[in-house]
Amino acid sequence: MSVLDCFAAPVVSHQTPDLPGLSACSLVCKSWSIHAQRRLFRRVAIVSNESEPHQNARRISLFLDAIHPATERGRCLGSCVLALTLRHADRKGLSKALLRVPNLRHLDTTTSSCDFDAPTLTAFRGKGPQITSLCIQEDFSFFPGQHSGRMHRLVAAFPSIRLLEITSNANSTLPPFEPPPKLSLVAVKFKTTLVQDIGPCLSSLTAGDGLQLLLHDSLRGTRSFTPTPDIGVNLRSLSLQTIDADALGLVHCTNLERFELGRFPDLATLRAIPPSITALSISGTPAANVPVGISFGTFLEELESGFPNLRTLTWTVDFMPPAFAREALEGVCKRRGVRLSLQVVSSERPDSEKDDSENAVELELKHRYIRI
């Protein structure tokens, strides 16, 4: 079966499986068929096209028929599904799929598909798979409260989640989970370019029973919270677009190994990052003209004296920085024994060619909790 493994790709990697190759192998002979089909169904992706609703419904219907539990073949193929991407699907289709894939580990979906009633959510808790990784997109910005509620209910239905990725294009805050779902999260990633205040949401995900959410602040229009010592204590990887370091309380994330920020950190954020990290990823250039900004020289000084465990630094920029800046950073990293990865957005490699070692912490977590 090593031939078939050449066509398949691990769920945790950036590689994509050779679906035509696996399909061809399933037609070679009877002894190859079931093994090829198992690899075909290991990672299923049905990304709906809103302009073709009938074709979308047909794709989902064919998938549900293939994994129907009434047949031995359906139960076999349903048990093979480890990763499922189902976006903008009918909620009935998604609910049926989740109840037919007992070994599912990773789910990628959108809140438009998650308008589940209470009995369905109860069925997920009792009969659904033990999902350990969830990527969910809040996809309709004109109903942010409604879609946030759907996301909150889905997360609460799967207490087994350890890796959580939330995407939101809504130009508002992400409301905190109330009550907190009490997940044992080890990795959290927020893709929220237009959402500035994600501190309360993150804290409600990573805090214990002592979390205290304060009332709505009518002056600032945001929610605030009182951090407690157990906030983020289990987190090993945290990815954010932007954050107010003072509000987040990063100091409590004492086991954090990887920190990613979608901008260049200001001094307060840089000093708030736990010294335990082994990997740091930042983007952009210093905002020297902003009062809370940081000069490149100050950044190098902090990098030189802080983060005793740092082994990898990834810096993503829109254009190649000046030679003096690159040389200075390379010098600091060389003295510290830190592997530097400089990525220019315009020439960034496609996902299929990315080096997984650049994100070794997150890759190790995926291997452990998605178990591929």
Side-chain angles (χ1 to χ4, degrees), residues 24 27 34 51 59 77 110 115 179 187 215 231 233 248 262 318 336 358 362-364:
L27 301 175
I34 186 61
S51 64
R59 291 171 181 164
L77 294 180
T110 49
D115 188 15
L215 297 177
I231 288 182
V233 69
L248 182 58
D318 294 327
R336 291 286 316 275
E358 290 179 359
E362 189 172 286
L363 184 64
E364 184 267 323

Side-chain angles (χ1 to χ4, degrees), residues 317-323 326 342 344 347:
V317 291
D318 294 327
F319 49 86
M320 185 63 70
R326 299 198 308 271
L342 180 60
V344 181
S347 61

Side-chain angles (χ1 to χ4, degrees), residues 166-193:
I166 296 176
T167 300
S168 177
N169 296 323
N171 190 11
S172 64
T173 60
L174 277 174
F177 286 69
E178 299 178 14
K182 300 180 182 179
L183 304 175
S184 296
L185 293 172
V186 297
V188 177
K189 179 178 291 187
F190 281 90
K191 293 183 177 179
T192 53
T193 305

Side-chain angles (χ1 to χ4, degrees), residues 45-302:
I46 304 177
V47 181
S48 298
N49 187 336
E50 296 181 4
S51 64
E52 301 176 341
H54 297 295
Q55 187 175 356
N56 299 335
R58 182 175 178 274
R59 291 171 181 164
I60 296 173
S61 178
L62 289 173
F63 171 62
L64 293 176
D65 289 343
I67 61 171
H68 201 289
T71 65
E72 182 179 353
R73 177 178 178 275
R75 292 191 296 273
C76 175
L77 294 180
S79 66
C80 294
V81 180
L82 302 178
L84 175 63
T85 299
L86 200 57
R87 299 176 188 160
H88 306 293
D90 178 80
R91 61 184 175 88
K92 292 183 179 179
L94 178 58
S95 62
K96 287 181 179 179
L98 289 176
L99 294 173
R100 295 181 184 182
V101 286
N103 296 322
L104 187 69
R105 292 292 177 264
H106 173 77
L107 174 64
D108 186 337
T109 190
T110 49
T111 52
S112 60
S113 306
C114 300
D115 188 15
F116 301 121
D117 55 24
T120 301
L121 293 170
T122 300
F124 289 160
R125 296 186 188 97
K127 303 177 182 178
Q130 296 295 304
I131 295 175
T132 53
S133 174
L134 174 65
C135 293
I136 186 165
Q137 178 180 355
E138 187 183 39
D139 47 352
F140 288 147
S141 60
F142 44 86
F143 285 135
Q146 176 182 345
H147 284 261
S148 292
R150 294 178 183 181
M151 176 176 61
H152 291 184
R153 290 189 290 272
L154 182 68
V155 169
F158 294 100
S160 54
I161 295 173
R162 298 294 177 266
L163 298 89
L164 179 62
E165 180 177 319
I166 296 176
T167 300
S168 177
N169 296 323
N171 190 11
S172 64
T173 60
L174 277 174
F177 286 69
E178 299 178 14
K182 300 180 182 179
L183 304 175
S184 296
L185 293 172
V186 297
V188 177
K189 179 178 291 187
F190 281 90
K191 293 183 177 179
T192 53
T193 305
L194 299 178
V195 179
Q196 299 297 320
D197 183 16
I198 58 93
C201 182
L202 177 61
S203 293
S204 66
L205 283 169
T206 58
D209 296 337
L211 177 70
Q212 300 176 24
L213 293 173
L214 302 184
L215 297 177
H216 183 77
D217 188 331
S218 59
L219 296 178
R220 294 184 298 171
T222 61
R223 288 180 179 269
S224 55
F225 63 96
T226 301
T228 56
D230 53 359
I231 288 182
V233 69
N234 294 318
L235 279 185
R236 293 179 55 193
S237 178
L238 178 59
S239 176
L240 308 167
Q241 291 295 318
T242 183
I243 190 62
D244 182 348
D246 294 333
L248 182 58
L250 285 173
V251 66
H252 299 301
C253 302
T254 53
N255 292 315
L256 197 67
E257 295 178 37
R258 181 177 187 274
F259 183 73
E260 179 179 351
L261 191 64
R263 60 173 173 78
F264 202 91
D266 56 42
L267 186 58
T269 301
L270 193 63
R271 289 179 174 175
I273 300 173
S276 58
I277 62 167
T278 61
L280 175 64
S281 178
I282 57 177
S283 299
T285 54
N289 59 327
V290 179
V292 295
I294 180 176
S295 68
F296 193 74
T298 302
F299 171 73
L300 293 179
E301 293 174 2
E302 294 294 321

